[in-house]
Amino acid sequence: MKKSVTFFYTLLLTCSGLGCLAATVVNADSLSREIRRQLGGPAGKKLLFPQSVKRFYASRSYHSAWFKPQTGEGPTWQAMLLIDCTEQFGLAGVNYHQNELSYNTLHDILETPGTISAARQARFDMLLSDAMIAYMNHLHYGRKNPVYPAGKVDRGIPDAFHAEKMLTRALGQTDLISVITGVQPTSKQYRDLQYQLYMLLGVHSGDNYQVSAADIKGMTLSMERLRWASAAEGPFIQVNIAAYTLTLYEPDSAYVFRIIVGNPQHQTARIPGAISNLVTAAAEDSPRMALPRLSTLLPEIIPEKPADRSNLSYPGAAGSFTIRPQGSREQQQFGRAQRDLSDGSIRVAHPEKLAALLLRYDGAENKVAGMKKALHAAQVRTFRLKKKVPVKITYLTYLMTDGELVIYKDIYGLDRSLEKALFPGNTQFVINY
C-alpha cells in the first residue's frame, strides 16, 4: 500500500496545486454548536450513515474534524483525494458527496473563512466525515451486503467493525489514507484485484493496456462479493460457484477441489455456513455438502427473479458434511467443464480427502482411518469437529490468477443485477488510452 500512498500524495500536490494552507475557520464554539444543530435536524437524517456520524461527533464534543492548520498532505486533503480515487477501490465518487465536497469550497473555507458561514462550514465538515465513514463501511462490508445492509451497520453491530471509531483513529495518524484503506479484506484474491485496479486506473492510466470498461466493472463485482465473504481466522472453506471450486484454506496451504453446484433453476444459496460434523453414508447419486436450513436463506442481492426456494434441498443436518462413495457417473460429471448440475446442493469431488484434511487440522488424525473404513463399508457414522470450519460461498466471475485476469461464466446471470445496484444510471469508469 506504501507505493499507492506515495502516488496519492504526488497526485495531490502536482495535480491540485496545493501548498501549505493554514485553517482559520470561524469561532470553534460557534462551529460546534452549528454541527450539533444540523445533526439533530433534517440535514443530519439525510446523511449516508447518520447514526454513525452522530456517534462520531458526540465522541469529540461536536468539534470540527477537518478544519485545522495543516499542509497540503494533511488529513483533510487526504480525505478529499480518497474521494477522487474511489475507482481504484472499485467504488464510485458520486456515492461520497463528491458533488458537494468541492476543492473550491474547501479553499474558500481555509483561505477566506470570513466569507463562508458557520452553517456552510458545518455542512462541509459533516459531509466529509459521512463520506469517510461510508467509504470505510463500503470497503469493509461492501455496499450491498445482504447480511449486513447499511441500516444494520449504521445502528452498530456488536463486537464488529465500527467505521466511526476507525475515523477517530485515522485523524490521529499522519497517514490517514493507509488507515482508511486498511479496513479492506486481506485475502489474496481481493488484494490482487485491488492492486490490478490501482495499476490500471492509477499508475498506468493513459497507457495502452488491453482492458475494457466491462472488465473493470467485472473486477469490482468480485471485490464487492469478497467483502461480503471476508475470510475467517483459522481454517476455512471458500466455495466459488462460478469457478466450480471449493478451496480449503489453512495457514500455510490451500487445497482445491472440483465441485458440482445448483443449476440456474435451482441455484446454490450464497450464504455463509460452517461444518461441525462429518457424516459417512451409503452410496447415493453423489457426495454432498449440507448447508444451513432454508429458513436462513438470503438472496444475494437480487436475483431479479429469485430461484424458487421450494425446489432447493440440502440433504443432511445443518452443519454436516455428508461423505458418500463416488460412482462412475459422478466421476464423469466432475470431469465436465460446466458443472451446474445439481438441485442446489454442493457436490464435492473426492470428499473423503476433504474430510481427512478437516480431521487432521482438528487434531483428530487418529480418526481418519475410521472415517475411511466406515465410508467403504457404507456405515453411517458421525465425526464431530472440535471447532467449526466456516464456509464462505461466493460467486466470483472475475479473478486474477498468476497475474492474468480470468473470467468465469455468469451461470446464474447475477452480474448484471449487481452491477445495476452498485453503478446506477450512467456511472462509468474512465480508461484513458
Side-chain angles (χ1 to χ4, degrees), residues 332-373:
Q332 290 175 357
Q333 286 184 327
F334 284 111
R336 296 175 59 172
Q338 188 166 338
R339 298 189 293 279
D340 50 332
L341 306 170
S342 82
D343 58 357
S345 59
I346 298 171
R347 306 178 184 181
V348 186
H350 308 296
E352 75 285 356
K353 293 183 179 180
L354 176 57
L357 287 167
L358 293 173
L359 286 171
R360 289 188 180 109
Y361 198 87
D362 201 50
E365 187 168 4
N366 60 323
K367 295 181 181 180
V368 172
M371 178 271 296
K372 292 183 177 180
K373 182 178 180 180

Side-chain angles (χ1 to χ4, degrees), residues 295-306:
S295 59
T296 64
L297 181 62
L298 293 172
E300 178 186 40
I301 248 207
I302 4 247
E304 294 176 356
K305 294 181 180 179

Side-chain angles (χ1 to χ4, degrees), residues 1-13 73 81 175 177-178 198:
M1 196 63 204
K2 204 69 178 176
K3 291 183 179 179
S4 62
V5 171
T6 302
F7 169 73
F8 286 151
Y9 284 162
T10 303
L11 180 67
L12 176 66
L13 295 172
E73 294 184 2
L81 183 61
D175 189 353
I177 287 175
S178 288
Y198 160 66

Side-chain angles (χ1 to χ4, degrees), residues 121-429:
Q121 292 190 31
R123 172 72 175 168
F124 194 101
D125 205 278
M126 289 164 46
L127 289 180
L128 191 52
S129 297
D130 188 40
M132 291 299 101
I133 287 172
Y135 209 110
M136 284 188 284
N137 280 331
H138 294 163
L139 286 177
H140 187 80
Y141 293 107
R143 284 192 57 224
K144 298 294 180 178
N145 192 317
V147 178
Y148 296 110
K152 184 175 183 179
V153 172
D154 192 29
R155 289 190 295 272
I157 303 170
D159 302 320
F161 171 77
H162 296 92
E164 69 274 14
K165 294 180 180 179
M166 188 61 72
L167 180 57
T168 297
R169 175 185 168 189
L171 287 168
Q173 304 295 316
T174 302
D175 189 353
L176 178 138
I177 287 175
S178 288
V179 176
I180 289 180
T181 59
V183 307
Q184 298 175 92
T186 58
S187 69
K188 185 177 186 301
Q189 291 174 323
Y190 182 92
R191 292 199 312 268
D192 288 348
L193 286 168
Q194 198 279 311
Y195 183 73
Q196 183 72 359
L197 277 186
Y198 160 66
M199 295 298 288
L200 291 172
L201 301 177
V203 174
H204 293 305
S205 179
D207 293 348
N208 188 25
Y209 274 73
Q210 297 301 313
V211 61
S212 68
D215 289 343
I216 294 292
K217 284 190 175 180
M219 294 165 65
T220 69
L221 302 187
S222 286
M223 290 172 66
E224 171 74 6
R225 288 169 173 143
L226 284 166
R227 291 170 188 137
W228 303 350
S230 185
E233 294 183 0
F236 70 95
I237 287 172
Q238 183 192 54
V239 171
N240 185 2
I241 295 172
Y244 308 113
T245 58
L246 178 152
T247 305
L248 171 62
Y249 287 97
E250 295 182 356
D252 57 353
S253 305
Y255 303 89
V256 182
F257 296 80
R258 290 189 170 203
I259 60 173
I260 290 171
V261 300
N263 60 51
Q265 289 72 43
H266 308 101
Q267 299 178 14
T268 295
R270 282 81 66 191
I271 53 176
I275 293 176
S276 55
N277 304 309
L278 307 177
V279 181
T280 58
E284 200 185 49
D285 60 340
S286 66
R288 304 182 181 216
M289 184 173 72
L291 300 178
R293 295 194 182 280
L294 294 180
S295 59
T296 64
L297 181 62
L298 293 172
E300 178 186 40
I301 248 207
I302 4 247
E304 294 176 356
K305 294 181 180 179
D308 181 358
R309 298 183 186 182
S310 65
N311 290 333
L312 295 175
S313 61
Y314 301 110
S320 294
F321 174 35
T322 305
I323 314 161
R324 302 181 190 276
Q326 284 184 294
S328 59
R329 176 175 175 272
E330 288 73 46
Q331 293 175 4
Q332 290 175 357
Q333 286 184 327
F334 284 111
R336 296 175 59 172
Q338 188 166 338
R339 298 189 293 279
D340 50 332
L341 306 170
S342 82
D343 58 357
S345 59
I346 298 171
R347 306 178 184 181
V348 186
H350 308 296
E352 75 285 356
K353 293 183 179 180
L354 176 57
L357 287 167
L358 293 173
L359 286 171
R360 289 188 180 109
Y361 198 87
D362 201 50
E365 187 168 4
N366 60 323
K367 295 181 181 180
V368 172
M371 178 271 296
K372 292 183 177 180
K373 182 178 180 180
L375 175 65
H376 294 295
Q379 295 177 345
V380 178
R381 286 190 59 187
T382 298
F383 299 83
R384 302 189 185 281
L385 299 177
K386 297 174 186 176
K387 187 176 181 180
K388 294 181 180 180
V389 178
V391 179
K392 306 290 186 178
I393 302 180
T394 57
Y395 187 87
L396 309 174
T397 52
Y398 287 74
L399 285 174
M400 296 298 299
T401 302
D402 297 327
E404 298 291 333
L405 182 63
V406 178
I407 304 173
Y408 298 100
K409 183 179 179 180
D410 181 12
I411 56 177
Y412 293 167
L414 298 178
D415 281 359
R416 181 171 176 80
S417 52
L418 180 57
E419 182 181 323
K420 285 183 179 179
L422 292 178
F423 307 108
N426 295 319
T427 303
Q428 296 182 348
F429 284 87

Side-chain angles (χ1 to χ4, degrees), residues 19-30:
C20 296
L21 299 176
T24 54
V25 296
V26 297
N27 179 272
D29 291 336
S30 298

